[in-house]
Amino acid sequence: MKSRLLTLSLYLLLAASVPCYGSDNNREARQQMVETQIRARGVTNPKVLSAMNKVERHRFVHPNMVPDAYIDSPLPIGHGQTISQPYIVAYMTELLDPRPGDVVLEVGTGSGYQAAVLAEIVKHVYTIELIKPLAQDARKRLASLGYKNITVRTGDGYQGWPEKAPFDAIMVTAAADHIPPPLVEQLKPGRRLVIPVGSTPLTQELIIVEKKKDGSTIQRSVLPVRFVPLRRKN
Ligand code: SAH
């Protein structure tokens, strides 16, 4: 009898300490983010919606920013840089047309959030960050979250990552004043580069560069945007 009581009280104690689904505010906040900010604005790719639902954005922001992690806005990540607005992350991912077997290059790792979203969909993500402490933090964060298909490097992403080229898709998450030729060179024919281009924050546009089978490119502007600048290593 005594031992049955003990088992019962142990069970009750355990049951009380396991959070139930409904109380998982971050999961709810994420679902709401996907519905109201992303699906409502026209993103339909199921792989993208599922990745945005899965990746825990609150793990990519500073601890005191966690309550704001799912709002419809970019957020500061230190060193004067930002994690992009959730909608922009989703939209750029959709524009890239990512496929399961793809090897993708991202320029501008920042927090590592965009890399994680891509890594949910594709085979491998190579990502480059100019600011060493940001690259180190992102590498640690992504490893602790269990991502084995993301490689982070410190460096100037303008030059791409020639050793790992060609890439099935390339995404730049900082604004350049022109399209870096090395990135076009490292893109596979038939595939896409997505990049914000513009020399001032008020004139930036999100550009899709499509590399045709014959190696020529066509460009299309799809949205006015505002990104931090792509800087060059001196
Ligand atoms: N994709 C990031 C946000 C990017 S903010 C995320 O999901 O959090 C843009 C990032 O590009 C910044 O961290 C900035 O330091 C980096 N950056 C700027 N110029 C760069 C360059 N030439 N090469 C690599 N990274 C660069």
Side-chain angles (χ1 to χ4, degrees):
M1 183 63 183
K2 212 171 173 188
S3 77
R4 273 174 73 189
L5 257 182
L6 192 70
T7 315
L8 184 68
S9 44
L10 248 180
Y11 172 77
L12 286 175
L13 195 74
L14 273 176
S17 64
V18 174
C20 67
Y21 240 31
S23 71
D24 184 348
N25 288 328
N26 285 318
R27 180 185 293 264
E28 273 176 24
R30 210 156 44 248
Q31 273 169 359
Q32 224 190 345
M33 169 191 88
V34 170
E35 292 311 314
T36 62
Q37 301 172 30
I38 297 172
R39 203 196 292 270
R41 289 190 178 117
V43 173
T44 57
N45 184 325
K47 291 195 212 100
V48 176
L49 296 172
S50 148
M52 296 299 295
N53 245 313
K54 187 162 175 214
V55 180
E56 298 184 327
R57 186 171 161 93
H58 64 278
R59 306 228 186 241
F60 293 82
V61 300
H62 190 269
N64 59 27
M65 285 282 181
V66 167
D68 290 334
Y70 296 97
I71 67 174
D72 192 11
S73 169
L75 294 172
I77 54 170
H79 304 270
Q81 308 305 317
T82 54
I83 176 173
S84 304
Q85 180 191 10
Y87 166 64
I88 291 294
V89 173
Y91 184 49
M92 286 177 78
T93 309
E94 184 170 71
L95 290 175
L96 209 58
D97 186 22
R99 303 168 197 175
D102 283 354
V103 175
V104 174
L105 174 68
E106 182 202 17
V107 175
T109 315
S111 67
Y113 179 66
Q114 173 73 73
V117 169
L118 284 166
E120 293 290 340
I121 304 172
V122 304
K123 186 166 131 209
H124 200 96
V125 179
Y126 290 94
T127 179
I128 310 177
E129 170 56 54
L130 192 65
I131 301 175
K132 196 170 181 185
L134 282 179
Q136 286 169 333
D137 285 356
R139 188 180 295 120
K140 256 190 252 160
R141 178 177 296 124
L142 291 165
S144 76
L145 291 172
Y147 287 99
K148 298 201 182 344
N149 62 337
I150 302 176
T151 312
V152 182
R153 202 190 84 186
T154 304
D156 180 0
Y158 182 96
Q159 303 298 346
W161 196 323
E163 302 81 7
K164 303 293 177 189
F167 297 99
D168 295 295
I170 301 178
M171 182 189 290
V172 182
T173 60
D177 59 7
H178 63 273
I179 294 165
L183 298 185
V184 176
E185 212 163 283
Q186 291 170 34
L187 180 65
K188 277 191 193 166
R191 301 301 304 267
R192 290 177 167 191
L193 158 68
V194 174
I195 178 170
V197 179
S199 39
T200 71
L202 292 176
T203 59
Q204 290 175 18
E205 293 175 55
L206 193 59
I207 307 278
I208 305 177
V209 181
E210 281 190 37
K211 189 169 183 177
K212 294 202 280 187
K213 297 272 189 226
D214 66 5
S216 64
T217 56
I218 39 172
Q219 292 176 25
R220 184 150 67 88
S221 163
V222 290
L223 189 75
V225 284
R226 195 178 282 209
F227 276 81
V228 296
L230 184 79
R231 285 163 307 114
R232 302 301 314 281
K233 201 169 188 163
N234 310 312

